Amino acid sequence: MRHKFEYLEHTADVMFRAYGSTQEEMLSHAASALFKTMVDPETIAARESWTVEIEAPDLESLAYQWLSEIVFLFETESAVFSTFIVRLTQVGAMPDETIKLHAEIGGERIDLNRHAFGTEVKAVTRHKFGIKKNDLWCIQVVLDV
Amino acid sequence: MDDISKNLKKIDDNTYEVPIGYRPGMRVPGRIFVSSSLREMVEPGTIDQVANVATLPGIVKYSMAMPDAHLGYGFPIGGVAAFREEDGIISPGGVGFDINCGVRLLRSDLEAGAVQPRINLLLDALFQAVPSGLGATGRLHATDAQLTEAFLSGAKWAVEEGYGFEADLTHCEESGHMAGADPAQVSVKARKRGRPQLGTLGSGNHFLEIQRVEEIYDEAVAKKFGLFKGQITIMIHCGSRGAGHQICTDHLDVLSRAVKKYNIAIPDKQLACAPLGSPEANHYFGGMVCAANYAWANRHIIAHWTREVFEKYLPGSKLDLVYDVAHNVAKIEEHEVDGKKERLYVHRKGATRAFGPSRREVPDAYRAVGQPVIIPGSMGTSSFVLCGCDRSSELTFGSACHGAGRIMSRSQAIKQFKGTDVKSALNMLGIVVKATSPGMLAEEAPQVYKPSGDVVDVVHNLGIATKVARMVPLGVSKG
């Protein structure tokens, strides 16, 4: 894989594409791309872990909720994250039935002396939001900063 | 950049039309209010976003963009659109995540000479008194019951709690508390984010600034607004923090499903919306108003702490509220359409209400002249106070620009500027800056914004709002 994720030019906000050979990998890399906007991952040690469970009617809604959850966790846990392990399970046999996400997030509590902060992500937008499968799975996201 | 001018029809020196047919499905034309020099800075993507908004059901007259317009998500930043109550929609894409991000201007009774020698001291004290920056939590520690009150009655609640004065309320848009709040539409998550952040500035383009009135354009109106040359003013720019962001996030997910349910074709997923009167629309509106009220409470509390700092270091000084305006909000307003008064849902996304003297919403103190319109500049450039004119109702549903408007992306800014250089360049100009991170200063370097004077001139020349005063920054506290 050439990149796990890349940032694209956007005047007011932050836009990125994240890739993966599986949906899980793509969602994990998208979380890394989101979080790198806020804090330099090199300054974060994964000392603690957080578990996230999400259910959604489709992959797009699931991805949106997953990325929004990371913003929520950052603010409410006062923690910074560097590892994201994502597992998906399909509930039911039909392609459009509920998808379940289980994730283990590694990180630590905010330490302003050590963590190099960048731009605050206010929210994940749905502008130009989309998921595609070519050779790889690819998600495109615009963050409101 | 492509030559976009061929796609736009010039109406007059400051008005360009995006014709129906620019993209399929447009119900009304677009109107972009820019001068010829600013027009060159409008990205093609911004025009696309103006056209996208024009496709939404029930849109009235035009999909508009103010002179500071730039690329956003859903609506462009600087976007204004009004929708009919009978067949229109409401969309979080026309409000933004930072619901009721806005600006408040306080005027002091001090001359710059008395304050300038103590500017470092004051700025340090303000930086301490008003929590800011990424991940900052407030000094307030609001309870759940208090949070509900803030959602319901905004700045009015803050006054009841001992922050600010009763007299401040009439000098806020909506008197600092908008009707229609429904706390049941605020999720547990939004509460969890909002509770610790009440009374915080945030980061990004939010700031608290000590300014000096540098120029008066209209003596009579300036007098009405209590402004004079050489005066110290304070500007506070912030919004509804995590509460507003989460309320928007939650409802956006619901509305994304509503577009399928109501069979509304939208050209951008961020324009997810619901028909006015539907439960989804009512729920979003009720939640959005909670966030708007939270933001008014937030600015009220921050103003109170600012007053405390001034009282401590400059005893006996007075800070009165000139006005407090919302930049990101959807409101029910009455406007004349084809000679008939209609109730419309006016969306302003990065745009300021600019009502003239004939509107009853303008407080008594300013009724003779019009509403103060407060336009912040970027870190190193001037901010302006304008006075709303009646012509705004005719042209823009009573709306003006909200700032300077970005022209360079954050990533490009970080590549091009160094925070420490930005800081010393500003120091050379006599501007002291305090920020939680130097990277933030690079992202917000003055060069990344359009010249604020050019933007304001368009609004002035169109007669939407006229120039009253220009302020220059002396000290800036950034998140």
Side-chain angles (χ1 to χ4, degrees):
Chain A
M1 206 182 312
R2 267 189 311 132
H3 314 281
K4 290 177 176 174
F5 52 82
E6 59 185 332
Y7 295 99
L8 290 90
E9 274 304 307
H10 192 280
T11 320
D13 296 305
V14 170
M15 185 168 175
F16 68 80
R17 281 188 193 143
Y19 305 92
S21 48
T22 60
Q23 293 177 352
E24 278 104 337
E25 203 176 58
M26 170 193 75
L27 291 173
S28 161
H29 291 160
S32 299
L34 181 151
F35 216 82
K36 198 181 172 183
T37 309
M38 290 205 276
V39 187
D40 178 359
E42 301 290 325
T43 66
I44 304 170
R47 298 167 206 266
E48 277 186 66
S49 75
W50 284 263
T51 304
V52 170
E53 307 259 3
I54 298 167
E55 271 190 46
D58 54 63
L59 184 61
E60 196 173 297
S61 175
L62 186 88
Y64 181 71
Q65 288 185 44
W66 157 239
L67 295 174
S68 300
E69 185 70 20
I70 293 161
V71 178
F72 170 76
L73 274 181
F74 160 72
E75 273 192 21
T76 52
E77 294 290 304
S78 296
V80 291
F81 313 117
S82 58
T83 60
F84 306 90
I85 300 164
V86 178
R87 217 171 54 231
L88 297 182
T89 39
Q90 182 93 33
V91 180
M94 299 298 285
D96 258 3
E97 279 178 66
T98 307
I99 310 172
K100 233 181 181 167
L101 174 146
H102 174 98
E104 294 291 335
I105 301 178
E108 60 179 331
R109 304 285 163 176
I110 291 176
D111 176 352
L112 290 174
N113 295 320
R114 271 192 306 115
H115 299 134
F117 278 87
T119 308
E120 181 181 24
V121 175
K122 287 178 186 165
V124 182
T125 80
R126 288 187 97 115
H127 175 57
K128 299 195 168 175
F129 192 89
I131 298 173
K132 259 192 200 157
K133 166 95 168 72
N134 292 324
D135 295 345
L136 296 169
W137 283 94
C138 170
I139 182 168
Q140 177 169 285
V141 182
V142 176
L143 302 171
D144 182 17
V145 296
Chain B
M1 197 178 283
D2 303 339
D3 179 20
I4 52 150
S5 50
K6 61 179 186 290
N7 300 321
L8 299 180
K9 194 170 116 198
K10 185 172 175 177
I11 304 292
D12 60 44
D13 283 348
N14 292 301
T15 313
Y16 291 82
E17 185 159 298
V18 186
I20 290 184
Y22 176 89
R23 60 148 294 135
M26 285 172 72
R27 295 165 195 258
V28 295
R31 282 266 163 119
I32 301 177
F33 298 99
V34 281
S35 59
S36 58
S37 62
L38 285 174
R39 194 203 63 203
E40 289 162 20
M41 296 185 197
V42 177
E43 308 115 306
T46 307
I47 303 171
D48 293 344
Q49 291 182 335
V50 170
N52 287 346
V53 172
T55 68
L56 296 173
I59 186 166
V60 180
K61 282 190 184 174
Y62 304 105
S63 161
M64 296 183 246
M66 299 298 117
D68 51 340
H70 62 88
L71 196 63
Y73 43 85
F75 278 45
I77 311 296
V80 174
F83 299 88
R84 274 184 301 270
E85 203 169 27
E86 311 88 77
D87 61 343
I89 52 92
I90 187 166
S91 172
V95 175
F97 286 93
D98 197 359
I99 298 163
N100 189 7
C101 180
V103 197
R104 162 175 298 226
L105 184 71
L106 299 161
R107 60 176 182 237
S108 75
D109 52 353
L110 301 163
E111 303 250 4
V115 175
Q116 247 158 327
R118 320 193 71 178
I119 198 84
N120 278 304
L121 197 70
L122 274 170
L123 204 60
D124 282 343
L126 286 171
F127 199 70
Q128 290 299 319
V130 180
S132 67
L134 221 124
T137 51
R139 299 157 52 188
L140 201 76
H141 311 293
T143 63
D144 231 19
Q146 285 176 312
L147 188 66
T148 304
E149 287 305 312
F151 285 145
L152 283 168
S153 44
K156 189 163 164 268
W157 165 80
V159 171
E160 284 159 13
E161 293 283 312
Y163 298 96
F165 310 113
E166 188 73 34
D168 293 335
L169 295 177
T170 52
H171 286 202
C172 295
E173 189 172 333
E174 296 290 329
S175 302
H177 54 103
M178 193 169 157
D182 181 1
Q185 305 313 326
V186 180
S187 68
V188 174
K189 277 187 175 172
R191 285 179 161 274
K192 215 171 158 187
R193 283 176 80 174
R195 201 168 38 239
Q197 293 181 355
L198 196 52
T200 62
L201 197 60
S203 74
N205 60 358
H206 294 156
F207 64 77
L208 196 164
E209 191 168 278
I210 304 173
Q211 311 168 323
R212 179 181 68 227
V213 177
E214 190 71 357
E215 197 175 355
I216 297 283
Y217 303 98
D218 187 329
E219 284 289 348
V221 179
K223 210 171 164 201
K224 279 270 180 211
F225 291 173
L227 299 172
F228 58 87
K229 194 174 172 184
Q231 180 183 25
I232 289 292
T233 56
I234 308 289
M235 190 175 274
I236 298 164
H237 178 206
C238 65
S240 52
R241 312 285 292 112
H245 309 161
Q246 190 69 41
I247 287 170
C248 181
T249 298
D250 293 339
H251 286 272
L252 191 59
D253 206 41
V254 174
L255 292 167
S256 296
R257 290 192 284 274
V259 287
K260 290 176 200 152
K261 177 176 162 189
Y262 297 107
N263 204 13
I264 304 169
I266 48 167
D268 175 352
K269 288 169 191 163
Q270 188 70 27
L271 291 174
C273 57
L276 291 167
S278 68
E280 292 88 346
N282 291 341
H283 293 166
Y284 168 64
F285 187 75
M288 183 210 69
V289 175
C290 287
N293 287 338
Y294 177 103
W296 273 305
N298 198 28
R299 290 196 288 274
H300 221 76
I301 292 162
I302 291 171
H304 177 77
W305 289 333
T306 304
R307 281 168 168 159
E308 284 183 348
V309 167
F310 268 70
E311 182 53 40
K312 186 172 170 194
Y313 291 95
L314 298 156
S317 61
K318 249 179 87 184
L319 292 180
D320 288 327
L321 181 53
V322 177
Y323 207 58
D324 179 305
V325 291
H327 283 163
N328 288 352
V329 77
K331 291 167 68 170
I332 307 167
E333 290 171 0
E334 216 171 64
H335 288 277
E336 208 173 279
V337 183
D338 302 327
K340 239 180 37 213
K341 286 241 186 271
E342 281 200 55
R343 251 166 74 94
L344 303 174
Y345 279 67
V346 181
H347 292 59
R348 296 191 181 94
K349 164 106 168 277
T352 314
R353 198 188 71 178
F355 279 174
S358 70
R359 299 286 310 210
R360 62 183 158 75
E361 292 93 335
V362 178
D364 288 345
Y366 306 136
R367 202 57 192 277
V369 290
Q371 175 211 312
V373 179
I374 302 158
I375 313 292
S378 62
M379 248 185 321
T381 63
S382 300
S383 296
F384 292 84
V385 175
L386 288 82
C387 179
C389 301
D390 283 335
R391 181 142 170 76
S392 72
S393 294
E394 215 177 294
L395 279 180
T396 57
F397 299 111
S399 314
C401 59
H402 87 305
R406 268 193 105 86
I407 45 173
M408 191 189 289
S409 71
R410 289 166 205 271
S411 52
Q412 208 179 326
I414 290 170
K415 271 183 226 151
Q416 209 156 325
F417 308 113
K418 264 176 65 185
T420 45
D421 294 346
V422 173
K423 192 171 177 162
S424 48
L426 288 169
N427 279 339
M428 299 272 283
L429 295 170
I431 304 164
V432 189
V433 181
K434 271 195 82 83
T436 46
S437 86
M440 174 55 60
L441 292 179
E443 284 183 35
E444 293 293 319
Q447 294 91 331
V448 310
Y449 289 98
K450 289 177 193 177
S452 46
D454 293 3
V455 168
V456 164
D457 281 343
V458 174
V459 168
H460 179 90
N461 292 336
L462 281 164
I464 291 171
T466 51
K467 291 199 278 188
V468 177
R470 178 170 69 85
M471 292 87 72
V472 291
L474 298 178
V476 194
S477 172
K478 299 278 297 179

